[in-house]
Amino acid sequence: PGSTFVREAFYQDYPDENGNVTPKHVPSKKADVVHETMTFQFITNQRKQFINEIADNYVKNDGIVLLEEKILPATEAEWIANERKKDAYKLQYFDQAAITEKAENVLAGMKTNQTAESDLIQSLESRFAFVAPFWDAGNFKGFIATNSKQKFDDFFKKLGGPVTSEY
């Protein structure tokens, strides 16, 4: 109740394997908040086009954009260390066979569509005046982007301060 589902694609029309086309969503008005979570990483590793689409068509000039993704850190060694920490945590809830099966069947190929953390930040900073991480779980990160200093400061005040890299 109270929810509306719109079956439209982000950024461009989406043809499926049967030739059916899901049309591109064109917002009728801009939003105060746009929230993407764990979606872009399954589409492409190019974020600038998506950031531009959001800035141009989805969010008000003083609105807030929240992005959460599994990203690529600066080095492969950092990637591996973060994955080991994540998997060690997951072992509290899943056995190794389940973790391995997910890695082989669900996550295969996903890394090719992940973007470098530095590229994501650069793309956000090219369109928004205030950009910062608000969540850090190793290879998973969340970023806020806005042109409003007031909303940026309010966000972190309500969150309890900026994120640290410890998780």
Side-chain angles (χ1 to χ4, degrees), residues 54-117:
I54 290 168
D56 291 341
N57 300 305
Y58 281 75
V59 69
K60 293 177 182 176
N61 188 52
D62 68 340
I64 292 174
V65 176
L66 302 172
L67 302 179
E68 298 143 0
E69 300 191 33
K70 189 168 188 180
I71 54 84
L72 299 173
T75 68
E76 184 67 16
E78 187 179 349
W79 167 269
I80 292 168
N82 286 337
E83 288 297 292
R84 285 187 181 139
K85 289 178 189 176
K86 171 193 54 106
D87 288 346
Y89 175 79
K90 288 171 80 173
L91 281 171
Q92 297 176 66
Y93 305 98
F94 304 97
D95 62 26
Q96 185 61 54
I99 293 170
T100 301
E101 180 182 0
K102 181 180 179 187
E104 291 172 355
N105 297 325
V106 178
L107 306 178
M110 186 177 78
K111 191 173 178 183
T112 61
N113 288 328
Q114 293 169 351
T115 192
E117 181 176 6

Side-chain angles (χ1 to χ4, degrees), residues 4-148:
T4 302
F5 293 90
V6 178
R7 184 169 168 78
E8 295 174 331
F10 176 75
Y11 186 67
Q12 63 187 19
D13 292 349
Y14 178 78
D16 69 16
E17 61 277 354
N18 298 318
N20 301 312
V21 176
T22 301
K24 171 187 173 179
H25 176 69
V26 179
S28 59
K29 62 182 182 176
K30 292 187 176 187
D32 293 313
V33 177
V34 173
H35 181 205
E36 175 271 337
T37 185
M38 308 298 169
T39 302
F40 293 166
Q41 68 196 34
F42 289 98
I43 301 172
T44 177
N45 62 6
Q46 303 299 308
R47 292 297 177 275
K48 190 165 185 67
Q49 63 199 16
F50 292 168
I51 302 304
N52 288 340
E53 177 75 8
I54 290 168
D56 291 341
N57 300 305
Y58 281 75
V59 69
K60 293 177 182 176
N61 188 52
D62 68 340
I64 292 174
V65 176
L66 302 172
L67 302 179
E68 298 143 0
E69 300 191 33
K70 189 168 188 180
I71 54 84
L72 299 173
T75 68
E76 184 67 16
E78 187 179 349
W79 167 269
I80 292 168
N82 286 337
E83 288 297 292
R84 285 187 181 139
K85 289 178 189 176
K86 171 193 54 106
D87 288 346
Y89 175 79
K90 288 171 80 173
L91 281 171
Q92 297 176 66
Y93 305 98
F94 304 97
D95 62 26
Q96 185 61 54
I99 293 170
T100 301
E101 180 182 0
K102 181 180 179 187
E104 291 172 355
N105 297 325
V106 178
L107 306 178
M110 186 177 78
K111 191 173 178 183
T112 61
N113 288 328
Q114 293 169 351
T115 192
E117 181 176 6
S118 59
D119 290 344
L120 179 59
I121 292 168
Q122 185 178 36
S123 293
L124 289 167
E125 288 177 340
S126 75
R127 294 304 303 263
F128 298 96
F130 304 96
V131 174
F134 67 85
W135 173 58
D136 185 336
N139 293 329
F140 295 88
K141 307 253 191 238
F143 293 91
I144 179 176
T146 182
N147 289 316
S148 169

